[in-house]
Amino acid sequence: MSNESAPAIVVGIDGSHAATYAALWAIDEAVSRDIPLRLVYVVDHLEPAGSGAHVAQEGAAHAALYDVYRAVDATGRPVKIETEILWGRPLTKLMAESRSAVMVCVGSIGLNHARRGEGSVAGTLAGSALCPVAVIQAPAGGAAVPAISGVVAEVGNGSVLRHAFEEARLRDVPLLAISSGLTTASDVDDGNRLAKKQLERRLARWTRLYPDVEVDSEVIRGHACTYLAANAKPDQLYVADSHAAQVCNVYSAACSVLTVRIGNL
């Protein structure tokens, strides 16, 4: 039994391949902070304790945790792994985990499916959790480990940008900073140049703080959600304010998403 109050990177495990990918993605998060990787399987218990179905649920939970434990251990990374089975509603239990977790990670499918009328567990968790939540896309082409090729974030909130720069630095990938500034085709000339300069000025502080991060910037037309729907790639990580992410439903985009709850960092 692990200490639930200790800081950790928590990963929701449910037996899906997506959950395994989320755990593998989360290794860097745990190693970089020197904290445990906590694998949690939440059994949505509908069967009476002691019944055959109840025992089968517990057995499936142990098997799923063991498989993910082996996958993480096989990477050879110096990470402490904790596992635990919890009983109750997945969303409720993962929300409770978010009180002490540094980050909660889940797969983009699996826990994302509707359970007992909760709707999207991953989406609801990401919008309401008390810590950052990563919803990880399974890697393209059947890759064994999910790799991030770049980080994307909308310029506007310093907390979101800080997390975006930290992720880009951690994974040694470039950061694309986007800003909604264009509304019509006529904006593309002088308006675009002005918006670009304003965007670069807003980024100047961050590029000084993170000189090792390669940064590109782009002024986009319309809302960031529209841009993301048209341009997101499975190996990108989009960092966003959790409220904005909920409004736009960015979890349906073809990329991994890290949501940051503003004011709880």
Side-chain angles (χ1 to χ4, degrees):
M1 187 73 68
S2 60
N3 182 359
E4 185 175 323
S5 64
I9 303 296
V10 174
V11 184
I13 305 301
D14 62 358
S16 67
H17 289 300
T20 302
Y21 291 134
L24 294 172
W25 182 91
I27 293 173
D28 284 337
E29 303 292 338
V31 170
S32 67
R33 296 171 173 86
D34 193 24
I35 58 177
L37 185 66
R38 176 170 157 79
L39 310 177
V40 174
Y41 192 112
V42 183
V43 179
D44 195 353
H45 58 97
L46 299 175
E47 305 296 336
S51 67
H54 182 96
V55 172
Q57 286 179 316
E58 186 171 11
H62 279 294
L65 287 172
Y66 178 67
D67 287 344
V68 178
Y69 183 102
R70 285 197 310 167
V72 172
D73 188 57
T75 66
R77 300 296 303 282
V79 59
K80 179 182 178 182
I81 310 169
E82 301 174 349
T83 64
E84 186 166 6
I85 298 173
L86 302 175
W87 298 81
R89 300 177 69 184
L91 178 58
T92 302
K93 292 299 182 180
L94 290 175
M95 280 291 295
E97 290 288 318
S98 78
R99 290 196 199 93
S100 58
V102 173
M103 182 183 292
V104 174
C105 304
V106 295
S108 59
I109 58 173
L111 282 172
N112 198 42
H113 293 311
R115 289 190 180 188
R116 297 178 63 181
E118 290 178 343
S120 167
V121 174
T124 305
L125 177 69
S128 305
L130 301 178
C131 69
V133 175
V135 181
I136 304 303
Q137 284 280 345
V145 178
I148 297 296
S149 67
V151 175
V152 181
E154 185 175 13
V155 175
N157 184 281
S159 297
V160 170
L161 276 178
R162 180 169 67 83
H163 277 270
F165 271 91
E166 289 287 348
E167 286 295 326
R169 170 185 280 175
L170 173 62
R171 300 180 185 279
D172 193 22
V173 296
L175 168 64
L176 173 62
I178 60 176
S179 177
S180 303
L182 305 181
T183 56
T184 66
S186 62
D187 289 333
V188 174
D189 296 323
D190 291 341
N192 183 41
R193 284 193 289 270
L194 177 60
K196 182 78 170 179
K197 288 181 180 178
Q198 291 174 337
L199 174 55
E200 290 173 351
R201 281 198 296 270
R202 296 175 74 181
L203 285 173
R205 169 181 175 242
W206 297 99
T207 55
R208 288 195 298 269
L209 290 172
Y210 295 87
D212 52 333
V213 175
E214 178 185 342
V215 181
D216 195 8
S217 60
E218 182 176 348
V219 179
I220 62 174
R221 182 183 302 172
H223 201 281
C225 301
T226 305
Y227 174 89
L228 195 66
N231 297 281
K233 301 175 183 176
D235 58 353
Q236 287 179 322
L237 176 69
Y238 180 62
V239 184
D241 167 14
S242 58
H243 175 71
Q246 281 289 100
V247 172
C248 296
N249 189 27
V250 298
Y251 316 106
S252 61
C255 66
S256 296
V257 178
L258 174 63
T259 58
V260 180
R261 180 168 177 171
I262 306 306
N264 288 275
L265 299 173

